[in-house]
Amino acid sequence: MTRPARRDAVPRRGRDRRARILPSHGGTRRVLGAPPSTAVLGGGIAGLAAATALAERGVRVTLYEREDSLGGRLAGHATTLADGSAVTMSRGFHAFFRQYYNLRGLLRRADPSLGMLRGLPDYPLQHSSGLRDSFRHVPRTPPWSALGFAALSPSFGVRDLTRMDVRAALPLLDVRVPEVYQRLDSVSAHDFLAAIRFPEAAHHLAFEVFSRSFFADPRELSAAEMVLMFHIYFLGSSEGLLFDVPDEPFPAALWEPLAGYLRGHGVEVRTGTPVESLTPRPSGGFTVMTPEGVDRHDAAVLALDTAGLRAVVGNSPRLATARWREGVSRLRTAPPFLVSRLWLDRPVAPDRPGFLGTSGYGSLDNISVLERWEGEAARWSARTGGSVVELHAYALPHGADPDTEYKRLLEQLHRACPETREAAVVDVRHELREDCPLFPVGGYEQRPTVSTPDPALTVAGDLVRVPLPVALMERAATTGFLAANALLRRWGVRGQTLWTVPDRGRLAALRGLARLGRP
């Protein structure tokens, strides 16, 4: 039975009346007496969520970030183009879906109205064969969302649908966590789709978009992760698949305002300060080693990416237990990905959408026309008459050369948007990275949880195993709040109330059908 939210709950802003409320544990509203000190390692979404929840309850927080700016994989840095324009380069497009309740709750700390987010009118997908899908007119309420997509999509032919193994697909109607991992973590996303005989065209246009959101080849990705995405967007939530994007570059729109909020709550934000190791102290807490010296804290939150977590834990031989440290050492990163942003001397066609997911164009996974939604790009475009176009390529080979991959992306851009063939590139910037977590087949049980063998040490991030229907940026925000809650419980302080999409199939009839498809 859903209990009413307390007064300190994250306010409901979505349309789904069945969104699940996760009330926090009880306790005092704030820390009583001398406040404990907590080190939060990592200034990405997870670390910012943890620091926020702790600081709001009166905990003394020091936020350590190795880079010079906050945001983690959504950070940005200033650069100057060949024409003298000062711009911001980042990894670019990220979709802020309406199902991201806890991430949006975090951003509301700086702007309760979420005025920094702008909704895009559509989520179009295009295959090189000419097939094109759209989510603009798809109903948002399950099960009509999935049925409407199949009815409206040209990639679902009647003959294809009759060939599907409906019984094998029935478990999609009732996805639960962690049960979905127990059933499907041993299967790849590719093999799962083959087993249910999902139409090939729809495979490329729909499900592959989800699997590649994890920056991984569908043959390496756990089917459980992909099926969970299906639940979050299609059959578990009525928020739909349209999304918002920041109306300015990430630093200005998101992280600088949130940093101001944190400093207003007493958080010491230390960017450009990597943590080298943590050593448990005999009296409790940790000694934190940085290039600047040694700090002492009563607790710590590890909100690092995969490589960063492996490095800190590997340099901390007394942290938690040997078994736990060994598990962290086995974590893997997804293959490299490339973001290439081009400043062109002329506009793209006026009907080009702000975002387009692509398939069948070699390594090109999506195209963004930034002036359609980002203020900085729009101002450059208005001043010069050009366009700012961003290309993404996921799951590249290890050791990929950015210049070679960029040339391939440029060729595919010319195929997808022929008018760009005549455009000159005023300038270009690249981000070739390999720091996203990999969710391999059979890897769920090996991932760390929020809690560790040391009750003063917690872990947060999108790599964390958590028994909730969350993924990607929302998993980062949710685990950041959960990591803070685990520490607040130790100190007798009330935690943060959270939200998720429903944690099972929405309708009893559909849940009954799903049981027919389970072995």
Side-chain angles (χ1 to χ4, degrees), residues 37-39 41 64 277-289 294-302 316 318-320 452-458 487 490:
S37 170
T38 299
L41 280 59
Y64 298 88
S277 65
L278 270 72
T279 303
R281 298 167 58 200
S283 58
F286 302 95
T287 297
V288 177
M289 178 69 71
V294 174
D295 301 319
R296 292 176 175 81
H297 295 280
D298 300 305
V301 178
L302 303 179
S316 308
R318 293 172 50 197
L319 200 62
T452 74
D454 185 337
L457 181 71
T458 58
L487 297 178
R490 294 184 67 233

PDB file of all heavy atoms in Angstrom, residues 37-39 41 64 277-289 294-302 316 318-320 452-458 487 490:
ATOM      1  N   SER A  37      31.340  14.786   9.893  1.00  0.00           N
ATOM      2  CA  SER A  37      31.979  15.242   8.664  1.00  0.00           C
ATOM      3  C   SER A  37      31.998  14.103   7.648  1.00  0.00           C
ATOM      4  O   SER A  37      32.337  12.968   7.977  1.00  0.00           O
ATOM      5  CB  SER A  37      33.414  15.696   8.951  1.00  0.00           C
ATOM      6  OG  SER A  37      34.130  15.928   7.756  1.00  0.00           O
ATOM      7  N   THR A  38      31.633  14.407   6.399  1.00  0.00           N
ATOM      8  CA  THR A  38      31.581  13.381   5.348  1.00  0.00           C
ATOM      9  C   THR A  38      32.333  13.850   4.119  1.00  0.00           C
ATOM     10  O   THR A  38      32.159  14.978   3.664  1.00  0.00           O
ATOM     11  CB  THR A  38      30.126  13.067   4.962  1.00  0.00           C
ATOM     12  OG1 THR A  38      29.433  12.566   6.100  1.00  0.00           O
ATOM     13  CG2 THR A  38      30.076  12.018   3.862  1.00  0.00           C
ATOM     14  N   ALA A  39      33.154  12.956   3.590  1.00  0.00           N
ATOM     15  CA  ALA A  39      33.837  13.182   2.323  1.00  0.00           C
ATOM     16  C   ALA A  39      33.004  12.565   1.211  1.00  0.00           C
ATOM     17  O   ALA A  39      32.669  11.376   1.274  1.00  0.00           O
ATOM     18  CB  ALA A  39      35.227  12.555   2.337  1.00  0.00           C
ATOM     19  N   LEU A  41      33.323  11.738  -2.635  1.00  0.00           N
ATOM     20  CA  LEU A  41      34.317  11.640  -3.690  1.00  0.00           C
ATOM     21  C   LEU A  41      33.601  11.566  -5.030  1.00  0.00           C
ATOM     22  O   LEU A  41      32.909  10.591  -5.323  1.00  0.00           O
ATOM     23  CB  LEU A  41      35.197  10.399  -3.510  1.00  0.00           C
ATOM     24  CG  LEU A  41      36.332  10.474  -2.486  1.00  0.00           C
ATOM     25  CD1 LEU A  41      35.815  10.772  -1.084  1.00  0.00           C
ATOM     26  CD2 LEU A  41      37.132   9.178  -2.484  1.00  0.00           C
ATOM     27  N   TYR A  64      34.895  16.351  -3.138  1.00  0.00           N
ATOM     28  CA  TYR A  64      36.150  16.289  -3.876  1.00  0.00           C
ATOM     29  C   TYR A  64      35.865  15.902  -5.331  1.00  0.00           C
ATOM     30  O   TYR A  64      35.206  14.886  -5.596  1.00  0.00           O
ATOM     31  CB  TYR A  64      37.085  15.224  -3.282  1.00  0.00           C
ATOM     32  CG  TYR A  64      37.504  15.459  -1.856  1.00  0.00           C
ATOM     33  CD1 TYR A  64      36.729  14.993  -0.788  1.00  0.00           C
ATOM     34  CD2 TYR A  64      38.690  16.119  -1.559  1.00  0.00           C
ATOM     35  CE1 TYR A  64      37.121  15.181   0.518  1.00  0.00           C
ATOM     36  CE2 TYR A  64      39.092  16.314  -0.244  1.00  0.00           C
ATOM     37  CZ  TYR A  64      38.299  15.846   0.794  1.00  0.00           C
ATOM     38  OH  TYR A  64      38.700  16.038   2.099  1.00  0.00           O
ATOM     39  N   SER A 277      43.606   8.044  -1.951  1.00  0.00           N
ATOM     40  CA  SER A 277      43.307   6.848  -1.151  1.00  0.00           C
ATOM     41  C   SER A 277      42.492   7.226   0.074  1.00  0.00           C
ATOM     42  O   SER A 277      42.438   8.395   0.474  1.00  0.00           O
ATOM     43  CB  SER A 277      44.603   6.148  -0.716  1.00  0.00           C
ATOM     44  OG  SER A 277      45.344   6.998   0.158  1.00  0.00           O
ATOM     45  N   LEU A 278      41.854   6.200   0.649  1.00  0.00           N
ATOM     46  CA  LEU A 278      41.140   6.324   1.919  1.00  0.00           C
ATOM     47  C   LEU A 278      41.709   5.277   2.876  1.00  0.00           C
ATOM     48  O   LEU A 278      41.874   4.113   2.504  1.00  0.00           O
ATOM     49  CB  LEU A 278      39.639   6.080   1.757  1.00  0.00           C
ATOM     50  CG  LEU A 278      38.730   7.274   1.443  1.00  0.00           C
ATOM     51  CD1 LEU A 278      38.971   7.722   0.013  1.00  0.00           C
ATOM     52  CD2 LEU A 278      37.275   6.889   1.645  1.00  0.00           C
ATOM     53  N   THR A 279      41.961   5.694   4.095  1.00  0.00           N
ATOM     54  CA  THR A 279      42.463   4.768   5.107  1.00  0.00           C
ATOM     55  C   THR A 279      41.557   4.819   6.323  1.00  0.00           C
ATOM     56  O   THR A 279      41.349   5.900   6.899  1.00  0.00           O
ATOM     57  CB  THR A 279      43.894   5.145   5.530  1.00  0.00           C
ATOM     58  OG1 THR A 279      44.742   5.168   4.377  1.00  0.00           O
ATOM     59  CG2 THR A 279      44.426   4.130   6.545  1.00  0.00           C
ATOM     60  N   PRO A 280      40.966   3.683   6.729  1.00  0.00           N
ATOM     61  CA  PRO A 280      40.134   3.681   7.936  1.00  0.00           C
ATOM     62  C   PRO A 280      40.952   4.074   9.169  1.00  0.00           C
ATOM     63  O   PRO A 280      42.106   3.647   9.329  1.00  0.00           O
ATOM     64  CB  PRO A 280      39.658   2.228   8.025  1.00  0.00           C
ATOM     65  CG  PRO A 280      39.807   1.689   6.641  1.00  0.00           C
ATOM     66  CD  PRO A 280      40.994   2.382   6.063  1.00  0.00           C
ATOM     67  N   ARG A 281      40.365   4.874  10.027  1.00  0.00           N
ATOM     68  CA  ARG A 281      41.028   5.302  11.250  1.00  0.00           C
ATOM     69  C   ARG A 281      40.625   4.390  12.403  1.00  0.00           C
ATOM     70  O   ARG A 281      39.472   3.938  12.470  1.00  0.00           O
ATOM     71  CB  ARG A 281      40.651   6.748  11.564  1.00  0.00           C
ATOM     72  CG  ARG A 281      41.087   7.733  10.488  1.00  0.00           C
ATOM     73  CD  ARG A 281      40.429   9.082  10.680  1.00  0.00           C
ATOM     74  NE  ARG A 281      40.716   9.646  11.987  1.00  0.00           N
ATOM     75  CZ  ARG A 281      39.999  10.594  12.567  1.00  0.00           C
ATOM     76  NH1 ARG A 281      38.902  11.056  11.957  1.00  0.00           N
ATOM     77  NH2 ARG A 281      40.332  11.062  13.746  1.00  0.00           N
ATOM     78  N   PRO A 282      41.536   4.102  13.322  1.00  0.00           N
ATOM     79  CA  PRO A 282      41.209   3.215  14.455  1.00  0.00           C
ATOM     80  C   PRO A 282      40.014   3.703  15.273  1.00  0.00           C
ATOM     81  O   PRO A 282      39.228   2.907  15.775  1.00  0.00           O
ATOM     82  CB  PRO A 282      42.499   3.215  15.285  1.00  0.00           C
ATOM     83  CG  PRO A 282      43.567   3.588  14.316  1.00  0.00           C
ATOM     84  CD  PRO A 282      42.932   4.522  13.332  1.00  0.00           C
ATOM     85  N   SER A 283      39.852   5.019  15.353  1.00  0.00           N
ATOM     86  CA  SER A 283      38.756   5.580  16.139  1.00  0.00           C
ATOM     87  C   SER A 283      37.475   5.738  15.332  1.00  0.00           C
ATOM     88  O   SER A 283      36.472   6.234  15.843  1.00  0.00           O
ATOM     89  CB  SER A 283      39.174   6.938  16.707  1.00  0.00           C
ATOM     90  OG  SER A 283      39.533   7.819  15.647  1.00  0.00           O
ATOM     91  N   GLY A 284      37.493   5.317  14.066  1.00  0.00           N
ATOM     92  CA  GLY A 284      36.330   5.463  13.202  1.00  0.00           C
ATOM     93  C   GLY A 284      36.535   6.551  12.172  1.00  0.00           C
ATOM     94  O   GLY A 284      37.313   7.487  12.360  1.00  0.00           O
ATOM     95  N   GLY A 285      35.879   6.420  11.059  1.00  0.00           N
ATOM     96  CA  GLY A 285      36.036   7.391   9.989  1.00  0.00           C
ATOM     97  C   GLY A 285      37.230   7.074   9.116  1.00  0.00           C
ATOM     98  O   GLY A 285      37.782   5.965   9.142  1.00  0.00           O
ATOM     99  N   PHE A 286      37.658   8.076   8.339  1.00  0.00           N
ATOM    100  CA  PHE A 286      38.675   7.834   7.327  1.00  0.00           C
ATOM    101  C   PHE A 286      39.656   8.984   7.249  1.00  0.00           C
ATOM    102  O   PHE A 286      39.320  10.142   7.518  1.00  0.00           O
ATOM    103  CB  PHE A 286      38.020   7.678   5.939  1.00  0.00           C
ATOM    104  CG  PHE A 286      37.005   6.575   5.883  1.00  0.00           C
ATOM    105  CD1 PHE A 286      35.656   6.861   6.077  1.00  0.00           C
ATOM    106  CD2 PHE A 286      37.380   5.263   5.663  1.00  0.00           C
ATOM    107  CE1 PHE A 286      34.707   5.857   6.033  1.00  0.00           C
ATOM    108  CE2 PHE A 286      36.444   4.251   5.624  1.00  0.00           C
ATOM    109  CZ  PHE A 286      35.102   4.546   5.818  1.00  0.00           C
ATOM    110  N   THR A 287      40.872   8.628   6.864  1.00  0.00           N
ATOM    111  CA  THR A 287      41.858   9.611   6.452  1.00  0.00           C
ATOM    112  C   THR A 287      41.831   9.670   4.932  1.00  0.00           C
ATOM    113  O   THR A 287      41.969   8.643   4.267  1.00  0.00           O
ATOM    114  CB  THR A 287      43.269   9.226   6.932  1.00  0.00           C
ATOM    115  OG1 THR A 287      43.295   9.212   8.354  1.00  0.00           O
ATOM    116  CG2 THR A 287      44.300  10.212   6.418  1.00  0.00           C
ATOM    117  N   VAL A 288      41.617  10.856   4.393  1.00  0.00           N
ATOM    118  CA  VAL A 288      41.513  11.049   2.951  1.00  0.00           C
ATOM    119  C   VAL A 288      42.798  11.696   2.454  1.00  0.00           C
ATOM    120  O   VAL A 288      43.159  12.793   2.898  1.00  0.00           O
ATOM    121  CB  VAL A 288      40.294  11.927   2.604  1.00  0.00           C
ATOM    122  CG1 VAL A 288      40.235  12.195   1.104  1.00  0.00           C
ATOM    123  CG2 VAL A 288      39.006  11.254   3.066  1.00  0.00           C
ATOM    124  N   MET A 289      43.470  11.011   1.530  1.00  0.00           N
ATOM    125  CA  MET A 289      44.729  11.510   0.993  1.00  0.00           C
ATOM    126  C   MET A 289      44.495  12.173  -0.362  1.00  0.00           C
ATOM    127  O   MET A 289      43.916  11.569  -1.274  1.00  0.00           O
ATOM    128  CB  MET A 289      45.726  10.360   0.839  1.00  0.00           C
ATOM    129  CG  MET A 289      47.065  10.763   0.227  1.00  0.00           C
ATOM    130  SD  MET A 289      48.053  11.810   1.326  1.00  0.00           S
ATOM    131  CE  MET A 289      48.526  10.597   2.573  1.00  0.00           C
ATOM    132  N   VAL A 294      46.371  15.687   3.845  1.00  0.00           N
ATOM    133  CA  VAL A 294      45.531  14.681   4.495  1.00  0.00           C
ATOM    134  C   VAL A 294      44.356  15.365   5.181  1.00  0.00           C
ATOM    135  O   VAL A 294      44.524  16.366   5.879  1.00  0.00           O
ATOM    136  CB  VAL A 294      46.356  13.883   5.526  1.00  0.00           C
ATOM    137  CG1 VAL A 294      45.459  12.942   6.315  1.00  0.00           C
ATOM    138  CG2 VAL A 294      47.456  13.089   4.832  1.00  0.00           C
ATOM    139  N   ASP A 295      43.140  14.806   4.967  1.00  0.00           N
ATOM    140  CA  ASP A 295      41.933  15.280   5.654  1.00  0.00           C
ATOM    141  C   ASP A 295      41.331  14.118   6.427  1.00  0.00           C
ATOM    142  O   ASP A 295      41.528  12.944   6.091  1.00  0.00           O
ATOM    143  CB  ASP A 295      40.902  15.809   4.648  1.00  0.00           C
ATOM    144  CG  ASP A 295      41.443  16.948   3.801  1.00  0.00           C
ATOM    145  OD1 ASP A 295      42.143  17.808   4.351  1.00  0.00           O
ATOM    146  OD2 ASP A 295      41.178  16.946   2.581  1.00  0.00           O
ATOM    147  N   ARG A 296      40.568  14.444   7.454  1.00  0.00           N
ATOM    148  CA  ARG A 296      39.917  13.413   8.261  1.00  0.00           C
ATOM    149  C   ARG A 296      38.403  13.626   8.247  1.00  0.00           C
ATOM    150  O   ARG A 296      37.933  14.748   8.412  1.00  0.00           O
ATOM    151  CB  ARG A 296      40.455  13.425   9.699  1.00  0.00           C
ATOM    152  CG  ARG A 296      41.906  12.990   9.789  1.00  0.00           C
ATOM    153  CD  ARG A 296      42.460  13.108  11.199  1.00  0.00           C
ATOM    154  NE  ARG A 296      43.809  12.581  11.271  1.00  0.00           N
ATOM    155  CZ  ARG A 296      44.904  13.249  10.913  1.00  0.00           C
ATOM    156  NH1 ARG A 296      44.783  14.500  10.478  1.00  0.00           N
ATOM    157  NH2 ARG A 296      46.094  12.689  11.010  1.00  0.00           N
ATOM    158  N   HIS A 297      37.680  12.522   8.044  1.00  0.00           N
ATOM    159  CA  HIS A 297      36.228  12.589   7.974  1.00  0.00           C
ATOM    160  C   HIS A 297      35.626  11.399   8.724  1.00  0.00           C
ATOM    161  O   HIS A 297      36.247  10.331   8.839  1.00  0.00           O
ATOM    162  CB  HIS A 297      35.768  12.564   6.518  1.00  0.00           C
ATOM    163  CG  HIS A 297      36.208  13.759   5.726  1.00  0.00           C
ATOM    164  ND1 HIS A 297      35.562  14.967   5.791  1.00  0.00           N
ATOM    165  CD2 HIS A 297      37.247  13.921   4.861  1.00  0.00           C
ATOM    166  CE1 HIS A 297      36.175  15.841   4.986  1.00  0.00           C
ATOM    167  NE2 HIS A 297      37.197  15.229   4.416  1.00  0.00           N
ATOM    168  N   ASP A 298      34.394  11.596   9.197  1.00  0.00           N
ATOM    169  CA  ASP A 298      33.694  10.532   9.928  1.00  0.00           C
ATOM    170  C   ASP A 298      33.087   9.492   8.992  1.00  0.00           C
ATOM    171  O   ASP A 298      32.803   8.369   9.422  1.00  0.00           O
ATOM    172  CB  ASP A 298      32.580  11.144  10.786  1.00  0.00           C
ATOM    173  CG  ASP A 298      33.126  12.132  11.803  1.00  0.00           C
ATOM    174  OD1 ASP A 298      34.018  11.736  12.580  1.00  0.00           O
ATOM    175  OD2 ASP A 298      32.686  13.301  11.798  1.00  0.00           O
ATOM    176  N   ALA A 299      32.842   9.852   7.742  1.00  0.00           N
ATOM    177  CA  ALA A 299      32.213   8.931   6.790  1.00  0.00           C
ATOM    178  C   ALA A 299      32.629   9.349   5.385  1.00  0.00           C
ATOM    179  O   ALA A 299      33.207  10.424   5.176  1.00  0.00           O
ATOM    180  CB  ALA A 299      30.685   8.963   6.931  1.00  0.00           C
ATOM    181  N   ALA A 300      32.309   8.466   4.419  1.00  0.00           N
ATOM    182  CA  ALA A 300      32.686   8.770   3.033  1.00  0.00           C
ATOM    183  C   ALA A 300      31.673   8.170   2.083  1.00  0.00           C
ATOM    184  O   ALA A 300      31.104   7.097   2.336  1.00  0.00           O
ATOM    185  CB  ALA A 300      34.091   8.240   2.722  1.00  0.00           C
ATOM    186  N   VAL A 301      31.453   8.874   0.970  1.00  0.00           N
ATOM    187  CA  VAL A 301      30.628   8.385  -0.137  1.00  0.00           C
ATOM    188  C   VAL A 301      31.523   8.300  -1.370  1.00  0.00           C
ATOM    189  O   VAL A 301      32.121   9.311  -1.770  1.00  0.00           O
ATOM    190  CB  VAL A 301      29.442   9.327  -0.417  1.00  0.00           C
ATOM    191  CG1 VAL A 301      28.627   8.804  -1.602  1.00  0.00           C
ATOM    192  CG2 VAL A 301      28.560   9.487   0.811  1.00  0.00           C
ATOM    193  N   LEU A 302      31.620   7.125  -1.957  1.00  0.00           N
ATOM    194  CA  LEU A 302      32.400   6.934  -3.177  1.00  0.00           C
ATOM    195  C   LEU A 302      31.454   7.091  -4.364  1.00  0.00           C
ATOM    196  O   LEU A 302      30.730   6.162  -4.718  1.00  0.00           O
ATOM    197  CB  LEU A 302      33.059   5.559  -3.190  1.00  0.00           C
ATOM    198  CG  LEU A 302      33.981   5.243  -2.002  1.00  0.00           C
ATOM    199  CD1 LEU A 302      34.541   3.835  -2.133  1.00  0.00           C
ATOM    200  CD2 LEU A 302      35.110   6.261  -1.908  1.00  0.00           C
ATOM    201  N   SER A 316      43.761   1.676  -1.589  1.00  0.00           N
ATOM    202  CA  SER A 316      43.296   1.705  -0.189  1.00  0.00           C
ATOM    203  C   SER A 316      43.189   0.280   0.339  1.00  0.00           C
ATOM    204  O   SER A 316      42.085  -0.269   0.456  1.00  0.00           O
ATOM    205  CB  SER A 316      41.943   2.429  -0.111  1.00  0.00           C
ATOM    206  OG  SER A 316      42.005   3.693  -0.735  1.00  0.00           O
ATOM    207  N   ARG A 318      43.228  -1.212   3.086  1.00  0.00           N
ATOM    208  CA  ARG A 318      42.523  -1.527   4.329  1.00  0.00           C
ATOM    209  C   ARG A 318      41.040  -1.176   4.249  1.00  0.00           C
ATOM    210  O   ARG A 318      40.317  -1.313   5.240  1.00  0.00           O
ATOM    211  CB  ARG A 318      43.172  -0.782   5.495  1.00  0.00           C
ATOM    212  CG  ARG A 318      44.592  -1.254   5.825  1.00  0.00           C
ATOM    213  CD  ARG A 318      45.255  -0.350   6.843  1.00  0.00           C
ATOM    214  NE  ARG A 318      44.398  -0.116   7.998  1.00  0.00           N
ATOM    215  CZ  ARG A 318      44.573   0.874   8.865  1.00  0.00           C
ATOM    216  NH1 ARG A 318      45.556   1.744   8.687  1.00  0.00           N
ATOM    217  NH2 ARG A 318      43.764   1.023   9.897  1.00  0.00           N
ATOM    218  N   LEU A 319      40.590  -0.748   3.098  1.00  0.00           N
ATOM    219  CA  LEU A 319      39.205  -0.283   2.968  1.00  0.00           C
ATOM    220  C   LEU A 319      38.252  -1.475   2.944  1.00  0.00           C
ATOM    221  O   LEU A 319      38.458  -2.447   2.195  1.00  0.00           O
ATOM    222  CB  LEU A 319      39.071   0.532   1.685  1.00  0.00           C
ATOM    223  CG  LEU A 319      37.882   1.496   1.583  1.00  0.00           C
ATOM    224  CD1 LEU A 319      37.959   2.560   2.667  1.00  0.00           C
ATOM    225  CD2 LEU A 319      37.873   2.151   0.207  1.00  0.00           C
ATOM    226  N   ALA A 320      37.202  -1.416   3.775  1.00  0.00           N
ATOM    227  CA  ALA A 320      36.151  -2.455   3.814  1.00  0.00           C
ATOM    228  C   ALA A 320      36.783  -3.823   4.000  1.00  0.00           C
ATOM    229  O   ALA A 320      37.488  -4.046   4.988  1.00  0.00           O
ATOM    230  CB  ALA A 320      35.284  -2.378   2.565  1.00  0.00           C
ATOM    231  N   THR A 452      28.256  -0.979   2.057  1.00  0.00           N
ATOM    232  CA  THR A 452      29.494  -1.759   1.990  1.00  0.00           C
ATOM    233  C   THR A 452      29.696  -2.462   3.326  1.00  0.00           C
ATOM    234  O   THR A 452      28.951  -2.218   4.286  1.00  0.00           O
ATOM    235  CB  THR A 452      30.698  -0.847   1.704  1.00  0.00           C
ATOM    236  OG1 THR A 452      31.008  -0.102   2.898  1.00  0.00           O
ATOM    237  CG2 THR A 452      30.414   0.130   0.560  1.00  0.00           C
ATOM    238  N   PRO A 453      30.696  -3.312   3.454  1.00  0.00           N
ATOM    239  CA  PRO A 453      30.966  -3.936   4.754  1.00  0.00           C
ATOM    240  C   PRO A 453      31.302  -2.953   5.858  1.00  0.00           C
ATOM    241  O   PRO A 453      31.228  -3.304   7.039  1.00  0.00           O
ATOM    242  CB  PRO A 453      32.164  -4.857   4.448  1.00  0.00           C
ATOM    243  CG  PRO A 453      32.031  -5.178   2.995  1.00  0.00           C
ATOM    244  CD  PRO A 453      31.502  -3.923   2.376  1.00  0.00           C
ATOM    245  N   ASP A 454      31.681  -1.737   5.514  1.00  0.00           N
ATOM    246  CA  ASP A 454      31.945  -0.692   6.502  1.00  0.00           C
ATOM    247  C   ASP A 454      30.738   0.246   6.529  1.00  0.00           C
ATOM    248  O   ASP A 454      30.457   0.925   5.541  1.00  0.00           O
ATOM    249  CB  ASP A 454      33.210   0.079   6.122  1.00  0.00           C
ATOM    250  CG  ASP A 454      33.611   1.094   7.182  1.00  0.00           C
ATOM    251  OD1 ASP A 454      32.754   1.530   7.966  1.00  0.00           O
ATOM    252  OD2 ASP A 454      34.804   1.479   7.205  1.00  0.00           O
ATOM    253  N   PRO A 455      29.994   0.324   7.632  1.00  0.00           N
ATOM    254  CA  PRO A 455      28.779   1.158   7.657  1.00  0.00           C
ATOM    255  C   PRO A 455      29.049   2.645   7.480  1.00  0.00           C
ATOM    256  O   PRO A 455      28.120   3.406   7.192  1.00  0.00           O
ATOM    257  CB  PRO A 455      28.174   0.865   9.037  1.00  0.00           C
ATOM    258  CG  PRO A 455      29.301   0.325   9.847  1.00  0.00           C
ATOM    259  CD  PRO A 455      30.204  -0.391   8.894  1.00  0.00           C
ATOM    260  N   ALA A 456      30.293   3.079   7.615  1.00  0.00           N
ATOM    261  CA  ALA A 456      30.622   4.493   7.414  1.00  0.00           C
ATOM    262  C   ALA A 456      31.005   4.786   5.970  1.00  0.00           C
ATOM    263  O   ALA A 456      31.329   5.926   5.640  1.00  0.00           O
ATOM    264  CB  ALA A 456      31.760   4.907   8.344  1.00  0.00           C
ATOM    265  N   LEU A 457      30.939   3.761   5.113  1.00  0.00           N
ATOM    266  CA  LEU A 457      31.340   3.912   3.718  1.00  0.00           C
ATOM    267  C   LEU A 457      30.196   3.484   2.811  1.00  0.00           C
ATOM    268  O   LEU A 457      29.669   2.378   2.939  1.00  0.00           O
ATOM    269  CB  LEU A 457      32.568   3.041   3.435  1.00  0.00           C
ATOM    270  CG  LEU A 457      33.130   3.094   2.013  1.00  0.00           C
ATOM    271  CD1 LEU A 457      33.798   4.431   1.744  1.00  0.00           C
ATOM    272  CD2 LEU A 457      34.117   1.947   1.792  1.00  0.00           C
ATOM    273  N   THR A 458      29.793   4.343   1.880  1.00  0.00           N
ATOM    274  CA  THR A 458      28.740   4.011   0.926  1.00  0.00           C
ATOM    275  C   THR A 458      29.223   4.303  -0.492  1.00  0.00           C
ATOM    276  O   THR A 458      30.209   5.007  -0.693  1.00  0.00           O
ATOM    277  CB  THR A 458      27.448   4.807   1.207  1.00  0.00           C
ATOM    278  OG1 THR A 458      27.736   6.209   1.161  1.00  0.00           O
ATOM    279  CG2 THR A 458      26.868   4.441   2.569  1.00  0.00           C
ATOM    280  N   LEU A 487      23.895   6.841   5.579  1.00  0.00           N
ATOM    281  CA  LEU A 487      24.696   7.497   6.610  1.00  0.00           C
ATOM    282  C   LEU A 487      23.810   8.257   7.596  1.00  0.00           C
ATOM    283  O   LEU A 487      24.050   8.223   8.812  1.00  0.00           O
ATOM    284  CB  LEU A 487      25.698   8.448   5.953  1.00  0.00           C
ATOM    285  CG  LEU A 487      26.740   7.803   5.035  1.00  0.00           C
ATOM    286  CD1 LEU A 487      27.630   8.868   4.411  1.00  0.00           C
ATOM    287  CD2 LEU A 487      27.575   6.771   5.778  1.00  0.00           C
ATOM    288  N   ARG A 490      22.425   6.139  10.352  1.00  0.00           N
ATOM    289  CA  ARG A 490      23.386   5.847  11.431  1.00  0.00           C
ATOM    290  C   ARG A 490      23.380   6.944  12.487  1.00  0.00           C
ATOM    291  O   ARG A 490      23.610   6.690  13.675  1.00  0.00           O
ATOM    292  CB  ARG A 490      24.798   5.718  10.866  1.00  0.00           C
ATOM    293  CG  ARG A 490      25.033   4.547   9.944  1.00  0.00           C
ATOM    294  CD  ARG A 490      26.500   4.479   9.534  1.00  0.00           C
ATOM    295  NE  ARG A 490      27.351   4.163  10.665  1.00  0.00           N
ATOM    296  CZ  ARG A 490      28.408   4.871  11.030  1.00  0.00           C
ATOM    297  NH1 ARG A 490      28.736   5.977  10.372  1.00  0.00           N
ATOM    298  NH2 ARG A 490      29.146   4.505  12.064  1.00  0.00           N
TER     299      ARG A 490
END
